[in-house]
Amino acid sequence: MVQGDAGGMWPAETHEVFNQPEPLEPFHAWRSDTALREAVAREGGGWAAPQLDAYGAAAGGPLFAAGFLAERNPPQFHPHDRYGRRINLVEYHPAYHELMRAAIEAGLPSLPWTGARAGAHVARAALEYMHNQADSGSGCPLTMTFAAIPALRLQPDVGADWINRATARAYDGANRPWHEKAGITLGMAMTEKQGGTDVRANTTRARPLAGTGPGALYALTGHKWFCSAPMCDGFLVLGQAPGGLSCFLLPRWHPDGGLNGLYVQRLKNKLGNRSNASSEIELREARRG
Ligand SMILES: Cc1cc2nc3c(=O)[nH]c(=O)nc-3n(C[C@H](O)[C@H](O)[C@H](O)COP(=O)(O)OP(=O)(O)OC[C@H]3O[C@@H](n4cnc5c(N)ncnc54)[C@H](O)[C@@H]3O)c2cc1C
């Protein structure tokens, strides 16, 4: 209570704030979560406890603060440079990059693929669970990078180099071609306006350029209603090949350093998950090589 001259409340003081919870942060996302710790131990991830303990401190501390910042300062879309050239650039707040770097260096998208040890998926899930308490927006490209690896493994002639870089514990948020980076991220562009759950309704066309079938080169033309992390270095994209719906690896840049035919149309204006740059894109003869 603010005391006035006469010993009572100042006349302008309207009320005293009480019966409110204390702020959650800072908290320890691992030590304070008994259910999580018991579940990880029960499911075979106990060996990762020291690493999870360290990430729990970060997730409830500096990363939690970064999550607020990234959410309050959502990504900005710059379709063109100031001379009018198309650049399809999304600019993130530094807090977003901080979140991505911390998670990638902790192995969040890579742990089960690099350390093939029983319980590695459990440990990774715990990392992700704690990270998402700090910021779920960055959780999107982190999850997509993790989830793209099994698909890339099916086509090692195309995927091996991508897998090595996507599972390296190195984050490089720079806007330059994937083959110049030690660490990369992967997105997914599957959903179309008429085809979300039912991806069979996708209309994006895949035109064969050299041969057909697994590993061959195709050009993609169409739209995607969701491409949530358009600054990823590459994407798994669904398109209708002559033989039916198939999955293609699409780099954001051509090998010669030019931008691929992937045009960001706009960023979605979302209620939540705002640190994540969910975009709508068009593909015009976009291709891997
Ligand atoms: C924040 C955000 C980010 C996203 N990022 C990406 C991204 O990066 N890349 C991408 O490709 N997609 C992305 N998506 C899209 C997401 O994957 C789709 O929303 C999802 O596939 C569902 O499609 P839909 O929205 O068209 O819903 P619909 O398919 O229209 O489904 C609507 C409802 O009907 C139900 N339903 C649908 N079919 C059936 C059925 N056969 N039987 C019973 N119930 C059914 C669904 O469960 C749902 O409740 C994102 C979505 C969000 C919200």
Side-chain angles (χ1 to χ4, degrees), residues 140 144 187-200 224-229 236 268 270 272-273 276 278-279:
C140 176
M144 291 192 288
M188 299 186 184
M190 310 201 170
T191 307
E192 297 184 3
K193 293 171 183 125
Q194 77 292 345
T197 303
D198 187 6
V199 290
R200 293 167 304 179
K224 293 291 168 184
W225 190 227
F226 270 99
C227 178
S228 267
L236 295 184
K268 291 185 183 294
K270 295 174 293 180
N273 199 255
N276 186 24
S278 294
S279 73

Side-chain angles (χ1 to χ4, degrees), residues 197-212:
T197 303
D198 187 6
V199 290
R200 293 167 304 179
N202 277 193
T203 61
T204 292
R205 303 184 300 282
R207 183 171 70 83
L209 293 176
T212 55

